[in-house]
Amino acid sequence: MTTLEQFDCALDLCRDIFSKKLKDYGPSWRIMRPRSVTDQLYIKAKRIRTLEEGEAMVEEGILGEFMAVVNYGLVGLIQLERGYADEADMTADEAIGLYDAKAALARKLMAAKTHDYGDAWRGMRVNSYTDFILTKLQRVKEIEENCGRTIVSEGIDSNYLDIINYAVFGIVKLTEK
């Protein structure tokens, strides 16, 4: 399979979970401010790192956490664009439409970077994806502390897109046979 085909398969897994959670909770995440989304991503990435370093006490694995990183990354992109709300203010269908639109942006970026870098990510270890995600989250926190201003660096949205793509790489690596 090509990188983009694998990306699509990984995204299908994530989208399925996102869709099921929409049925359970609705778009309750609309209440989250962007900083809270960043913190949620941080929690998930730190848990992946903890699992990579030792034994889990809660029966949820690294794969599920990478899928959560993808989903919260896409939620983060939606929240950056739409702002947060005081209550869930969209239908599940609207939420899925926004999810798909942001996933298409991540896919487009993946295609461009695959063109430029080839499939270098295939030679990397999964724990490097985790470290890169944590690094990107640290950068996002710094940008948030600077009220979104940067001098020469990419913005929060670009970092979220990279986080999503690193998490997709993790999903691909963990599901390859």
Side-chain angles (χ1 to χ4, degrees):
M1 291 177 83
T2 68
T3 295
L4 290 176
E5 289 170 335
Q6 288 179 303
F7 179 92
D8 292 342
C9 288
L11 244 296
D12 286 346
L13 293 172
C14 297
R15 189 182 190 279
D16 182 59
I17 296 292
F18 185 83
S19 178
K20 287 175 180 171
K21 289 197 176 206
L22 273 175
K23 286 181 176 53
D24 288 346
Y25 310 126
S28 57
W29 46 265
R30 286 288 296 134
I31 295 167
M32 294 176 78
R33 291 174 285 188
R35 289 174 180 237
S36 297
V37 176
T38 300
D39 287 343
Q40 185 64 34
L41 284 162
Y42 177 76
I43 290 167
K44 296 298 182 182
K46 284 295 281 186
R47 180 146 196 281
I48 293 168
R49 186 181 236 176
T50 299
L51 292 173
E52 289 170 345
E53 296 297 317
E55 195 169 312
M57 297 198 57
V58 177
E59 290 299 318
E60 295 172 357
I62 293 172
L63 178 62
E65 297 297 343
F66 273 123
M67 289 191 290
V69 168
V70 169
N71 286 340
Y72 277 111
L74 294 168
V75 162
L77 290 171
I78 294 167
Q79 295 299 81
L80 284 173
E81 178 183 291
R82 299 283 297 256
Y84 64 92
D86 289 331
E87 58 187 43
D89 62 348
M90 65 178 62
T91 67
D93 287 341
E94 289 171 314
I96 284 288
L98 291 167
Y99 179 98
D100 289 342
K102 298 306 180 187
L105 290 175
R107 187 181 194 279
K108 182 178 177 182
L109 178 64
M110 169 91 68
K113 288 194 174 186
T114 297
H115 176 271
D116 290 354
Y117 293 94
D119 282 336
W121 66 271
R122 293 183 188 279
M124 296 169 57
R125 293 171 282 239
V126 173
N127 65 332
S128 292
Y129 308 140
T130 306
D131 291 348
F132 291 162
I133 289 167
L134 285 165
T135 301
K136 292 284 183 179
L137 287 166
Q138 186 61 44
R139 291 175 183 175
V140 167
K141 287 180 176 187
E142 291 294 326
I143 295 168
E144 288 172 344
E145 292 304 313
N146 292 326
C147 301
R149 292 186 304 269
T150 61
I151 298 169
V152 297
S153 303
E154 298 175 316
I156 294 170
D157 57 341
S158 294
N159 282 283
Y160 277 171
L161 287 167
D162 286 342
I163 288 165
I164 292 162
N165 284 336
Y166 284 127
V168 167
F169 292 155
I171 294 166
V172 169
K173 283 270 190 143
L174 292 170
T175 58
E176 276 183 327
K177 296 197 172 49

